[in-house]
């Protein structure tokens, strides 16, 4: 009964979230339908008019980085741009304000600052002509959406912060676990004679000093005991009670508290691998990852020309077995970068690779200039600031929402 109640509660919650999201989407869609396309001027810029004075504000980017260019008219007639004072302020989401002044260039005014992507901001324009002041303000958003915090949590949208990172370069290699050369101790009788009793059996885990055998010397007819010289597992039993020892190996004890991963490195990568290099191992059938260092190498190459590098692996909990297959990453270098983001955060937007910055309940694209890739991180050379919170998981939800809104910007 309780299980049924929980299921019904979960379904109700999901339906509420779905309906809320649908309603939000519907409201946005309705809003978009009601929006009027801004009037464009002869230079494809946005027209801003007050009384008989008009400004055409255009983002110009043909052959130059994006910049503002402005044409002014009075009563439909072109004004000498030298007689117009102009300022534009762009208020960006979480990135402060761009303060742009203008200077005359030919028949237009040219902004003194590059308008970097995204072209998403609140535009505030002030102009002065013949002693009269004019002002306009409007939204020019792109690549931006808003999601309530609770809905973002339900959608498992998670974030991280842009910051410096240390990249570790590695090569992937393969091998298997073996025993160290000194892992197995053979047990002999100190004095040949009758084996009166074998106190252990094959596979027993034993401690150093534990009783293994009781024998009777053929010469003295005195009984004596043989104990283990180490911790380990009884890996061979070659005698039974009542037999003569005859100088042979009676038992073998193997200590597997340390195993050796023998990793094959082929000629192309040999020069990159050094003794002491950090190594991360994944062992077949074991969920836990193991970290260690290259301890030594085998002098002779194999028939396939691979050289074996040896890594000591702690097996004090006896979870690992000799012969298990191993995949490993050997670190061959590391370097620091000023900024990095997670690779799974990347999305496409127009012709750019972006991440979604988060400011409160609002999310907006940041066009990235990318550098080197190592593992699950990628170096960022520009387009975002250190300390910016950005979406790492489920950013595709934001991409879909932005594409659905169809928001465009002035050019």
């Amino acid at each position: 009964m309780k299980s049924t109640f929980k299921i019904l509660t979960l379904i109700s919650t999901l339906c509420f979230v779905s309906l809320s999201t649908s309603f939000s989407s519907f409201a946005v869609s309705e809003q978009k339908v009601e929006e009027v396309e801004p009037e464009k001027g002869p230079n494809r810029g946005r027209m801003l008019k007050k009384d008989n004075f008009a400004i055409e504000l255009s983002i110009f980017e043909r052959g130059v980085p994006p910049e503002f260019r402005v044409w002014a008219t009075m009563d439909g007639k072109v004004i000498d741009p030298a007689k117009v004072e102009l300022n534009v302020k762009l208020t960006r989401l979480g990135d402060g304000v761009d303060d742009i002044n203008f200077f005359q260039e030919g028949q237009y005014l040219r902004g003194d600052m590059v308008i970097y992507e995204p072209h998403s901001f609140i535009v505030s324009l002030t102009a002065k002509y013949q002693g009269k002041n004019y002002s306009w303000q409007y939204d020019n958003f792109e690549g931006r959406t808003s999601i309530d915090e609770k809905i973002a949590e339900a959608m498992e949208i998670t974030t991280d912060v842009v910051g410096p990172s240390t990249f570790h370069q590695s090569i992937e290699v393969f091998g298997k676990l073996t025993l160290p050369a000194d892992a197995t101790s053979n047990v002999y009788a100190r004095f040949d004679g009758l084996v009166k009793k074998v106190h252990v059996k094959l596979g027993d885990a034993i401690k150093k000093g534990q009783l293994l055998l009781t024998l009777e010397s053929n010469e003295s007819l005195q009984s004596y005991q043989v104990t283990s010289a180490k911790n380990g597992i009884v890996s061979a039993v070659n005698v039974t009670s009542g037999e003569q020892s005859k100088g042979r190996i009676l038992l073998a004890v193997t200590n597997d508290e340390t195993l050796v991963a023998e990793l094959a490195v082929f000629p192309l990568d040999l020069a990159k691998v050094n003794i002491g290099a950090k190594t991360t191992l994944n062992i077949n059938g074991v969920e836990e990852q193991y970290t260690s260092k290259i301890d030594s190498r085998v002098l002779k190459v194999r028939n396939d020309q691979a050289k074996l590098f040896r890594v000591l692996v702690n097996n004090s909990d006896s979870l690992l077995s000799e012969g298990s297959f191993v995949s490993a990453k050997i670190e061959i270098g590391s370097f620091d970068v000023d900024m990095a983001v997670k690779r799974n955060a990347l999305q496409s937007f127009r012709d750019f690779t972006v991440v979604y910055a988060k400011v409160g309940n609002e999310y907006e694209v940041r066009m990235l200039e990318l550098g080197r890739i190592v593992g699950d991180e990628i170096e960022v050379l520009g387009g975002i600031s250190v300390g910016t919170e950005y979406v790492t998981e489920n950013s595709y939800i934001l991409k879909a929402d932005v594409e659905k809104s169809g928001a465009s910007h002035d050019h």
Side-chain angles (χ1 to χ4, degrees):
M1 188 70 181
K2 289 183 179 179
S3 298
T4 304
F5 178 74
K6 287 181 179 179
I7 292 170
L8 290 173
T9 303
L10 178 60
I11 292 172
S12 300
T13 303
L14 290 173
C15 288
F16 175 76
V17 171
S18 176
L19 287 170
S20 299
T21 306
S22 299
F23 178 78
S24 174
S25 300
F26 176 76
V28 169
S29 299
E30 287 295 303
Q31 184 181 0
K32 294 299 176 186
V33 170
E34 293 173 1
E35 285 182 357
V36 178
E37 182 71 20
E39 181 185 351
K40 298 290 185 179
N43 300 288
R44 299 301 300 156
R46 181 186 285 245
M47 293 301 302
L48 304 171
K49 296 179 178 180
K50 191 161 289 186
D51 301 329
N52 295 323
F53 182 70
I55 288 288
E56 182 183 356
L57 179 65
S58 174
I59 297 178
F60 185 85
E61 50 190 330
R62 292 193 298 273
V64 295
E67 61 186 28
F68 276 133
R69 293 190 179 180
V70 170
W71 293 263
T73 58
M74 175 64 80
D75 296 322
K77 297 179 180 179
V78 176
I79 298 172
D80 180 359
K83 297 180 179 180
V84 180
E85 296 178 26
L86 195 70
N87 176 265
V88 171
K89 289 180 173 59
L90 306 178
T91 304
R92 294 180 178 272
L93 181 65
D95 276 350
V97 178
D98 298 344
D99 193 345
I100 305 174
N101 293 304
F102 290 78
F103 59 92
Q104 181 184 4
E105 186 175 87
Q107 296 300 308
Y108 56 82
L109 292 170
R110 181 179 178 183
D112 63 358
M113 182 185 293
V114 172
I115 308 170
Y116 65 86
E117 296 279 5
H119 294 167
S120 181
F121 26 65
I122 298 170
V123 181
S124 302
L125 185 149
T126 57
K128 186 175 181 180
Y129 177 64
Q130 293 183 341
K132 189 172 182 180
N133 296 318
Y134 303 87
S135 63
W136 294 268
Q137 182 171 297
Y138 62 91
D139 295 341
N140 188 81
F141 297 152
E142 69 161 346
R144 184 186 294 194
T145 188
S146 179
I147 299 179
D148 183 83
E149 194 69 35
K150 290 184 178 179
I151 294 177
E153 289 179 8
M155 293 177 172
E156 298 183 342
I157 294 173
T158 59
T159 63
D160 202 342
V161 176
V162 178
S165 184
T166 299
F167 283 8
H168 299 278
Q169 293 176 300
S170 62
I171 59 169
E172 188 171 18
V173 295
F174 301 90
K176 66 178 181 178
L177 295 180
T178 64
L179 288 166
D182 61 351
T184 299
S185 295
N186 294 320
V187 179
Y188 297 85
R190 284 176 294 166
F191 311 104
D192 274 335
L194 178 68
V195 178
K196 297 183 71 175
K197 186 170 184 179
V198 180
H199 297 278
V200 294
K201 61 183 183 298
L202 187 66
D204 280 354
I206 59 175
K207 299 292 185 181
K208 181 179 180 180
Q210 183 172 332
L211 179 61
L212 301 178
L213 301 162
T214 300
L215 293 96
E216 181 183 280
S217 171
N218 287 336
E219 292 185 7
S220 67
L221 301 180
Q222 295 293 315
S223 294
Y224 66 94
Q225 295 178 332
V226 177
T227 59
S228 178
K230 60 173 26 173
N231 296 335
I233 295 172
V234 178
S235 53
V237 177
N238 302 319
V239 68
T240 59
S241 300
E243 291 187 79
Q244 285 288 324
S245 60
K246 296 181 179 179
R248 57 188 167 133
I249 298 172
L250 304 179
L251 301 173
V253 176
T254 300
N255 185 308
D256 67 345
E257 291 179 353
T258 299
L259 294 176
V260 176
E262 291 190 338
L263 307 174
V265 179
F266 289 90
L268 186 64
D269 294 320
L270 275 178
K272 304 173 186 175
V273 178
N274 297 310
I275 301 298
K278 180 181 176 181
T279 307
T280 304
L281 304 116
N282 291 288
I283 298 167
N284 189 36
V286 181
E287 288 187 12
E288 181 185 352
Q289 272 192 339
Y290 290 77
T291 57
S292 188
K293 295 181 179 180
I294 299 291
D295 177 72
S296 59
R297 60 189 169 196
V298 177
L299 293 178
K300 187 178 180 180
V301 297
R302 301 190 313 194
N303 291 337
D304 60 3
Q305 298 303 297
K307 183 181 281 290
L308 294 179
F309 284 77
R310 297 163 59 83
V311 177
L312 301 183
V313 183
N314 182 2
N315 188 38
S316 56
D317 52 11
S318 297
L319 291 178
L320 308 178
S321 301
E322 178 189 12
S324 296
F325 290 113
V326 177
S327 64
K329 289 185 177 179
I330 301 174
E331 186 174 310
I332 59 173
S334 64
F335 56 91
D336 296 328
V337 297
D338 294 331
M339 289 192 294
V341 296
K342 298 291 194 324
R343 290 174 64 187
N344 62 347
L346 300 179
Q347 293 290 345
S348 61
F349 180 81
R350 300 203 331 257
D351 296 328
F352 300 96
T353 298
V354 304
V355 294
Y356 282 86
K358 180 180 186 295
V359 180
N361 289 340
E362 293 189 284
Y363 302 82
E364 187 177 81
V365 294
R366 293 291 181 267
M367 286 72 169
L368 303 183
E369 182 184 352
L370 299 175
R372 295 162 289 186
I373 301 173
V374 175
D376 63 353
E377 289 188 293
I378 186 166
E379 180 184 16
V380 178
L381 303 176
I384 200 167
S385 302
V386 170
T388 302
E389 186 177 5
Y390 71 101
V391 177
T392 54
E393 298 288 341
N394 296 320
S395 57
Y396 70 89
I397 295 172
L398 305 173
K399 175 182 168 69
D401 204 43
V402 165
E403 289 178 345
K404 179 178 63 180
S405 72
S408 60
H409 62 289
D410 290 342
H411 276 287

